[in-house]
Amino acid sequence: MDRRRGINKKFALGLLNRAAKIPFRACKKIILTSPFLKRVYFDNYASFRFRYLKIKKSLNLLKPRQVQWLTTYRCNFTCIHCEASAGTTKVHELTTDEAFRLIDELAEAGVRGILLSGGELLVRKDIFLIIEHILSRGLKYSLASNGFLVSEFSEEFRRLKPVLYFTSIDGLEQTNDKVRGVKGAFKKCLDAVKFFESIGVEYRTINTVVLPENIRELPELKKTIQDSGASLWRLAIPIPVGRAKENPEVSLDAEQIQYLFEFIRSASKEMKIELSEDAGYLGCYGQELRSYPFFCKAGLTYCAIMPDGEVLGCQIAYDSSFSEGNIRTRPFREIWRDGFSRFRKPCFETACRSCGFLEKCRGGCWGMRLGNKHCLKDVWDEQKTD
């Protein structure tokens, strides 16, 4: 009986995969080169994807594709907008042995890759032991670092290359170093990007959190990014959690967000540049500002693990009051299977339920909703309506 049920699940999954993947793969080029089809794809993706994942969940086949692990809250920077409040938050971090056990559990749960971040992960003395263990389990790892310490570990990174390097520059040199709280941060960051390019890391992303303080520097900063060795420039709006919540002056107003949209549209003609997914659904603007349709993956295909083992659905809202469980007391597979109902059975507020874009948007970015910054309809719908 159990064997037959397992076969039925595999058969159902096969049908789902064929329904979801084959048509898209066969038609991808056509879809993305046709303005009409691209718009249809972008507008219907979230609704289709959520229903597809809901079916997988009902068959007990839902697996996390990637997990972000904040290896530490310790940091050598004091960025004014840090969503993790790194450098000031203190917890009992996972030990090396606990980290190894976590990696084993993630591998057994079907996780394909781990994004290592912090704080600044390179302040952990055991980080390369952890990376070696990740690779020994057949998983891929990505690296999110401020870059300041990368040059001290060049040989380790040559031996243990990540698939992606993610770093941040938040303005021209003087502005960046002020925002990030460390003199020399700008140059060190650029040196690190060049290094990862030189050793053959395929994906190298520079993220810029756009602030009132740096928004008018974007045209000049663009030249620096183009020469940096980055494969993608990702622009983000401030996330209202952590220190950004404590410093509301870093938020953008509607006029500044509109300026950001127009800048990305213009710059995309010369370089690979995208608006971060945190900005949510963007109507007609979406297909001009991103290469992929918006869909909040929190608790559905992605999750985050905090330095002390708390498991959260959202990768930007580092608040343990939203914990789904702790890997010190419960196996990850069990937490993933039984938790995350706030993401898998969402309850939208009245404004969302009465909005004609709900199926396309699905409430926007979950983390942004915590600060009521999840809806930019007043910006994009005023300019381009459906």
Side-chain angles (χ1 to χ4, degrees):
M1 183 68 177
D2 290 340
R3 182 174 179 272
R4 186 164 63 251
R5 186 180 294 117
I7 293 173
N8 289 338
K9 285 184 178 181
K10 289 182 179 180
F11 178 73
L13 180 58
L15 290 178
L16 282 170
N17 284 335
R18 284 194 289 274
K21 296 179 180 180
I22 294 175
F24 174 70
R25 287 174 176 172
C27 301
K28 183 176 179 180
K29 290 184 179 179
I30 298 174
I31 290 172
L32 296 182
T33 55
S34 166
F36 172 75
L37 292 177
K38 186 176 181 181
R39 177 65 190 279
V40 171
Y41 169 58
F42 269 59
D43 278 351
N44 290 280
Y45 181 84
S47 177
F48 171 81
R49 185 68 175 164
F50 182 77
R51 285 170 172 77
Y52 169 69
L53 293 174
K54 190 175 181 180
I55 294 171
K56 290 188 74 172
K57 171 59 179 157
S58 69
L59 297 170
N60 197 28
L61 295 169
L62 188 65
K63 295 180 180 180
R65 297 182 62 186
Q66 186 178 45
V67 168
Q68 179 180 354
W69 174 30
L70 280 74
T71 59
T72 181
Y73 277 129
R74 289 174 287 156
C75 193
N76 49 345
F77 283 16
T78 55
C79 305
I80 62 174
H81 51 70
C82 178
E83 59 265 28
S85 297
T88 56
T89 303
K90 295 183 180 180
V91 296
H92 177 41
E93 296 176 359
L94 298 180
T95 65
T96 305
D97 287 341
E98 288 175 321
F100 286 178
R101 187 168 68 250
L102 168 62
I103 293 163
D104 292 341
E105 290 187 17
L106 295 179
E108 291 163 6
V111 173
R112 300 177 187 176
I114 302 176
L115 170 61
L116 300 175
S117 67
E120 173 50 50
L121 79 167
L122 292 181
V123 303
R124 275 196 69 135
K125 294 182 179 180
D126 61 354
I127 193 62
F128 289 100
L129 294 175
I130 289 170
I131 291 173
E132 285 179 337
H133 195 71
I134 290 172
L135 296 176
S136 74
R137 291 307 309 261
L139 302 179
K140 296 180 180 180
Y141 89 96
S142 301
L143 181 73
S145 166
N146 60 40
F148 202 82
L149 301 174
V150 166
S151 61
E152 297 181 20
F153 303 103
S154 57
E155 291 308 310
E156 288 87 343
F157 282 123
R158 290 181 192 277
R159 182 170 56 90
L160 306 166
K161 285 194 299 186
V163 295
L164 177 146
Y165 176 63
F166 183 99
T167 192
S168 298
I169 289 180
D170 295 326
L172 298 174
E173 184 170 3
Q174 184 175 352
T175 301
N176 175 82
D177 291 1
K178 177 185 175 184
V179 167
R180 301 184 70 76
V182 174
K183 187 174 182 180
F186 184 84
K187 291 180 179 178
K188 285 278 191 176
C189 179
L190 290 176
D191 288 345
V193 175
K194 286 288 188 183
F195 166 73
F196 283 108
E197 180 187 33
S198 73
I199 65 171
V201 173
E202 184 176 2
Y203 302 105
R204 305 168 304 279
T205 298
I206 291 180
N207 182 73
T208 297
V209 178
V210 182
L211 311 166
E213 191 169 357
N214 66 23
I215 190 167
R216 296 297 170 178
E217 296 180 353
L218 292 179
E220 189 173 350
L221 183 59
K222 182 185 75 168
K223 302 173 185 175
T224 299
I225 304 299
Q226 286 176 304
D227 296 333
S228 68
S231 59
L232 172 66
W233 189 17
R234 179 181 183 268
L235 300 183
I237 59 178
I239 301 167
V241 295
R243 279 200 283 270
K245 184 178 180 179
E246 300 166 6
N247 297 294
E249 67 275 7
V250 304
S251 296
L252 302 179
D253 60 29
E255 183 179 346
Q256 290 168 328
I257 292 174
Q258 181 63 38
Y259 174 86
L260 174 60
F261 286 3
E262 295 301 329
F263 173 79
I264 294 174
R265 290 177 67 195
S266 175
S268 65
K269 300 172 183 176
E270 303 177 42
M271 64 187 301
K272 190 171 182 182
I273 180 173
E274 292 182 348
L275 183 66
S276 72
E277 59 276 9
D278 313 323
Y281 176 74
L282 300 171
C284 291
Y285 269 119
Q287 55 193 318
E288 298 181 78
L289 304 183
R290 298 191 188 109
S291 61
Y292 56 91
F294 170 74
F295 176 67
C296 182
K297 305 178 185 70
L300 295 168
T301 60
Y302 284 19
C303 67
I305 300 173
M306 299 298 99
D308 59 353
E310 298 289 351
V311 180
L312 308 182
C314 179
Q315 298 95 324
I316 63 172
Y318 305 136
D319 184 340
S320 292
S321 66
F322 296 111
S323 175
E324 305 291 336
N326 193 297
I327 61 98
R328 281 177 163 145
T329 57
R330 292 177 64 195
F332 176 81
R333 187 190 292 271
E334 183 180 302
I335 296 172
W336 179 260
R337 182 193 66 208
D338 300 335
F340 306 96
S341 61
R342 73 187 90 226
F343 306 100
R344 297 170 186 177
K345 298 177 181 179
C347 181
F348 300 112
E349 55 265 38
T350 302
C352 285
R353 292 198 303 270
S354 62
C355 178
F357 295 101
L358 179 58
E359 282 295 301
K360 303 172 182 179
C361 171
R362 297 204 54 79
C365 170
W366 192 89
M368 285 293 196
R369 283 164 64 180
L370 298 179
N372 198 31
K373 299 286 186 180
H374 59 292
C375 183
L376 298 180
K377 185 172 67 172
D378 288 344
V379 177
W380 56 258
D381 199 31
E382 180 180 327
Q383 302 297 320
K384 291 189 169 187
T385 57
D386 278 21

